[in-house]
Amino acid sequence: MGLKDIVKNTRKLVLKSDIINGLKELGLNQETKVMVHTSLKSFGYIVNRQYDMIDALIETMEDGVIIMPSHNSHSFSDSKGWENPPVPKEWHKVIEENRKYYDPNIFISESVGITPITFLRYKNVTKTDNPSVSLAVYNKSNSKDWFIHSLDEANSSNPMYKLVEEDGYILFLGTDITTCTFLHQCEIFSSKAQKKIFRTKMLKNKKIENVEVNDYEASDDFEIDFKNIYNLFEETYKNTDSLRITKIGDATCTLLKAKDLYEIAKNYYKKL
């Protein structure tokens, strides 16, 4: 949907105050810890677009933790597996040999939308040291562990696992479970999960180092799994504080408790 269609279909302008009120209605507060997925176009016309969205999140959770996907998965993944688009086989070796090292301070996130990209320009927001599936983290809590991001998805040193430990939440603003980066972490529990090793270079402690990134993939059609997991979650937690839903503008906004989603997803993948 282009901007022209958004203007045409918007019944009421969305203000930053509308977003703040919606976030508070969901139960978010100054110290909440949350991972956020956004779709601006779902809201209708937001006066200051992604800036109102980010400002509303920070003003609502000023002393908490806000996480957004900030991936560089195309630039930092095995070129043999690229599908969008694939590249000629004879290019693979050349790409690997000439790939620029990963520097979180300069690499622009890919395939995540304008809101996470803009989020990284804000004060107190840091891009994690993971070449493939980095995260943008706003952290005003008392713990610096939120910035630790292992290069092995099976390792629990990861902001998404910390959400589980700290009673955090997963928030969908105008989008749904199919965009849930958090659930990819749970695929390791499937007996079908395939470990994919990728070697690259990254800037670490002001030095360029060779590193190994370990990803796990359980299914070629993850969206079906994610929808099944949400259905199980909804059956279990409907009408509880673990599942909260409201409308902001034209957008459906859903808040899920990370610990409960993790347990549902873990049990689901163990049965695959």
Side-chain angles (χ1 to χ4, degrees):
M1 184 187 296
L3 186 58
K4 182 178 179 180
D5 291 326
I6 291 174
V7 171
K8 180 180 177 181
N9 295 325
T10 296
R11 293 170 292 176
K12 183 180 179 296
L13 283 174
V14 179
L15 307 178
K16 181 180 74 171
S17 58
D18 295 322
I19 302 172
I20 290 174
N21 289 337
L23 295 175
K24 289 181 177 178
E25 186 177 329
L26 285 169
L28 301 171
N29 60 54
Q30 289 287 299
E31 296 183 352
T32 298
K33 301 163 181 68
V34 65
M35 184 167 187
V36 183
H37 300 79
T38 60
S39 173
L40 288 178
K41 64 183 180 182
S42 301
F43 285 78
Y45 195 93
I46 303 175
V47 173
N48 294 297
R49 307 184 307 282
Q50 71 269 24
Y51 306 101
D52 275 350
M53 181 67 70
I54 296 167
D55 290 343
L57 287 163
I58 291 176
E59 289 179 30
T60 303
M61 292 167 279
E62 187 175 2
D63 299 319
V65 176
I66 304 167
I67 302 169
M68 293 189 192
S70 181
H71 300 350
N72 295 101
S73 52
H74 186 76
S75 295
F76 291 96
S77 59
D78 191 339
S79 59
K80 298 183 184 69
W82 287 357
E83 296 179 352
N84 190 28
V87 295
K89 185 177 179 180
E90 59 269 23
W91 290 13
H92 294 164
K93 185 178 180 181
V94 179
I95 288 172
E96 304 309 319
E97 290 176 349
N98 292 274
R99 191 193 303 266
K100 181 176 175 63
Y101 63 87
Y102 173 67
D103 181 349
N105 296 309
I106 64 171
F107 269 87
I108 298 173
S109 306
E110 303 165 2
S111 304
V112 293
I114 191 64
T115 304
I117 291 172
T118 306
F119 185 55
L120 275 166
R121 299 178 66 88
Y122 274 64
K123 185 179 179 182
N124 297 314
V125 179
T126 299
K127 192 177 176 75
T128 62
D129 289 334
N130 188 303
S132 179
V133 289
S134 57
L135 301 169
V137 180
Y138 167 92
N139 177 26
K140 291 297 291 292
S141 74
N142 294 323
S143 174
K144 298 299 181 185
D145 291 349
W146 289 99
F147 299 119
I148 300 174
H149 195 168
S150 173
L151 301 185
D152 187 339
E153 282 191 342
N155 191 312
S156 61
S157 297
N158 184 311
M160 290 183 283
Y161 279 117
K162 192 162 177 62
L163 276 176
V164 175
E165 297 169 359
E166 298 283 339
D167 286 327
Y169 294 87
I170 311 296
L171 175 62
F172 302 96
L173 296 172
T175 184
D176 61 24
I177 197 74
T178 58
T179 63
C180 188
T181 301
F182 176 83
L183 288 182
H184 284 296
Q185 291 294 129
C186 301
E187 290 182 291
I188 61 169
F189 294 109
S190 171
S191 60
K192 297 179 181 179
Q194 296 182 355
K195 183 176 180 179
K196 295 186 176 182
I197 300 173
F198 173 64
R199 295 175 179 85
T200 190
K201 296 183 188 318
M202 67 178 286
L203 187 66
K204 196 173 183 181
N205 300 320
K206 298 183 179 180
K207 296 181 181 179
I208 300 173
E209 298 183 8
N210 293 310
V211 297
E212 183 176 283
V213 180
N214 296 330
D215 294 330
Y216 298 80
E217 190 174 285
S219 172
D220 291 333
D221 198 344
F222 71 88
E223 290 189 359
I224 291 177
D225 290 329
F226 285 14
K227 288 176 181 177
N228 288 339
I229 289 168
Y230 180 79
N231 290 337
L232 289 169
F233 186 91
E234 187 177 39
E235 288 174 12
T236 306
Y237 293 106
K238 190 174 182 180
N239 299 321
T240 74
D241 286 341
S242 292
L243 172 59
R244 306 171 191 171
I245 301 173
T246 194
K247 291 279 285 191
I248 304 175
D250 291 329
T252 298
C253 301
T254 306
L255 185 71
L256 309 180
K257 193 165 186 178
K259 183 177 181 180
D260 295 333
L261 181 61
Y262 176 77
E263 291 299 328
I264 292 284
K266 180 171 71 172
N267 291 332
Y268 174 87
Y269 279 115
K270 281 184 175 181
K271 295 175 182 177
L272 280 186

